[in-house]
Amino acid sequence: MIVDDTVGAMLAASLRRGGDRPALRMADAIRTHRELLDHANRFANALRGSGLRPGDPVALMLTDRFESVEAYLGCLIGGFAAVHVNDRWAAREVQAVLADAGARGFVYTDGVGESVSAIDALGDIPAVIAIGEPVAAGHHLWSNFLEAARPVAPDAAGGTDPNDLTIIGYTSGTTGRPKGVVHTQRSLSRTIRHMPVHFEFRPRNRTAFTGTLSFVSGIWGVLLPTLYLGGEVSFMAGLDADEWISRMIQQSSMSTYVPTPLAGDFNEQIHRRPEVLRTLRSVLHSGSQIPPLTLRRTVELIGARMVECYGMTETGAPVTTTEPDDWSADCRADDIYASAGRPMHLADVRIIDRDGAQLPTGETGEISVSSETQFLGYLNDPALTAQTLVDGRIRTGDVGRLDDAGYLYVTDRAKDMILSGGMNVFPAEVESAMVDVPGLQEIAVFGIPHERWGETVVAVAVRTDADLDEAAVIEAARARLASYKKPTSVRFVDALPRTASLKIDKPALRRAWVDLPPEPDKH
């Protein structure tokens, strides 16, 4: 890889071509491509002036702001390794990441000031920069830090080796401490170039971005590819569906992402205002599954614009996707509304048993993938890297199957599988079967130790009907599933705990199970 083919050089060239066209939009405020490039160059040169060198890790704990995007671009243009830090993490978690990554720079927005002020080790980092109000003396103010720096590309930016680090995306760490997923010049450049194919982005695409910078996948999956195409990203996270659709109509948005909790509201708004479909070309979804009936309704409303996919931080780009023809009557999938689509041209997906042997079509096992965009390994953790990357393939820890037509169905996490009396129970299957129980808002299923059966199935639920009791939930499960899969006990809470990435925190539920009060006897 030559220097002109680095991720930073690739994005800088796109920003130069974009010129004075809008690149970022927040409500009525706009940042142009030219302005982004100017500020990103200044940031890269200011880091150099603070003694940092290409390859040095710069940690970024950022909320949704123009300057936050400029910080990522500046790291990539300057050849620094951008260390993504979820802005929802507490001080202890952030401090662990800074130490693990060996951060030489740290940028934070004032919205995370409370966590930052509780971090002990910032004095050892040469450059600490605040976007907004600094929380401590000695922290640079972003505008002052950039003011004296030159707005031109830094000399000898670095990052010329395909294996040089570009972005380290830390996982939320539900199974232990956060893990640093290392992406390189090679994997990140391939991801950015591939995503427009995957999500059907066009040159000068106008993207309604409902995600946030909390999640690194939104940066390399949506933000950077849109800028690479000379397009425009409009930040819409946190808007209700009515305002979201209104802004897409006003801005002639071409693509958006539908979070699962907003899918029903999205459908209602599309039904009311179908004029948004005049420019909307693709609607993306991934992660937690949309209830099949809701997804079917979405497809009825928007047709082949729907794009479902499967991937993870370690794969960079998704490895499976649905295609426009999949939503037609000619689709050969067993159930397209439960599927994550078929493997992409850059990926290979297999189902394996516990020993790593490939299973026949239709059998359920662990999902194993290899991809041109996959990560290099986990930072400072060769043992975990060797456990996850086996013969060049990622053992995802997810459970699923492939049907005869090659469509993937993701059914659960391998570590969440319950072995009860010699029978395998997948919590996601139980949870999916319960989505239409009247009065049941949400349910999390997991296993706890049992003296006779090894493990037994239990559930924690949120209800909208106070008359819905434990017996009714168990009976509803019995009517939908084999008897051995039903919960043997159900506890009710006001809300389910979630991780920083908004997934249900089942380890926390397991720990809290003994302290959750049982349902009082109504008889």
Side-chain angles (χ1 to χ4, degrees), residues 54-69:
D56 282 347
V58 177
L60 306 170
M61 188 177 182
L62 306 171
T63 53
D64 297 346
R65 297 180 55 149
F66 291 155
E67 299 91 339
S68 301
V69 179

Side-chain angles (χ1 to χ4, degrees), residues 346-418:
L346 50 63
D348 179 73
V349 178
R350 301 174 188 173
I351 307 300
I352 61 174
D353 63 18
R354 293 184 178 183
D355 297 324
Q358 188 170 354
L359 291 171
T361 298
E363 290 197 20
T364 297
E366 183 177 1
I367 301 170
S368 164
V369 305
S370 65
S371 171
E372 295 175 13
T373 62
Q374 70 188 37
F375 76 137
L376 183 67
Y378 296 108
L379 188 69
N380 301 325
D381 201 334
L384 184 59
T385 298
Q387 179 183 330
T388 304
L389 277 174
V390 180
D391 296 327
R393 301 183 62 85
I394 300 173
R395 297 194 64 153
T396 66
D398 288 328
V399 172
R401 66 179 178 88
L402 291 164
D403 68 16
D404 289 334
Y407 291 85
L408 177 68
Y409 301 83
V410 184
T411 55
D412 222 317
R413 289 289 293 169
K415 64 181 177 61
D416 288 338
M417 187 188 76
I418 303 164

Side-chain angles (χ1 to χ4, degrees), residues 125-254:
I125 297 177
V128 179
I129 305 104
I131 298 173
E133 190 66 28
V135 299
H139 295 187
H140 300 281
L141 184 64
W142 173 266
S143 56
N144 294 342
F145 190 67
L146 268 60
E147 187 175 20
R150 301 168 63 221
V152 297
D155 297 329
T160 59
D161 188 289
N163 287 323
D164 281 347
L165 277 58
T166 53
I167 289 184
I168 304 169
Y170 276 84
T171 64
S172 57
T174 58
T175 57
R177 66 176 181 83
K179 306 182 292 291
V181 178
V182 174
H183 280 279
T184 64
Q185 288 286 337
R186 177 189 288 112
S187 63
L188 185 61
S189 64
R190 287 175 175 174
T191 296
I192 292 170
R193 288 185 170 106
H194 166 70
M195 294 309 297
V197 176
H198 199 110
F199 288 152
E200 301 189 19
F201 289 171
R202 308 288 179 86
R204 292 169 291 282
N205 199 75
R206 294 183 296 276
T207 303
F209 184 41
T210 57
T212 75
L213 299 184
S214 297
F215 308 114
V216 70
S217 59
I219 296 167
W220 66 48
V222 177
L223 180 67
L224 297 180
T226 302
L227 296 178
Y228 168 62
L229 292 176
E232 174 186 328
V233 176
S234 182
F235 285 84
M236 298 190 184
L239 300 180
D240 61 29
D242 180 72
E243 180 63 19
W244 170 25
I245 300 299
S246 293
R247 292 196 187 181
M248 285 203 291
I249 293 171
Q250 294 165 7
Q251 298 171 18
S252 299
S253 298
M254 297 175 178

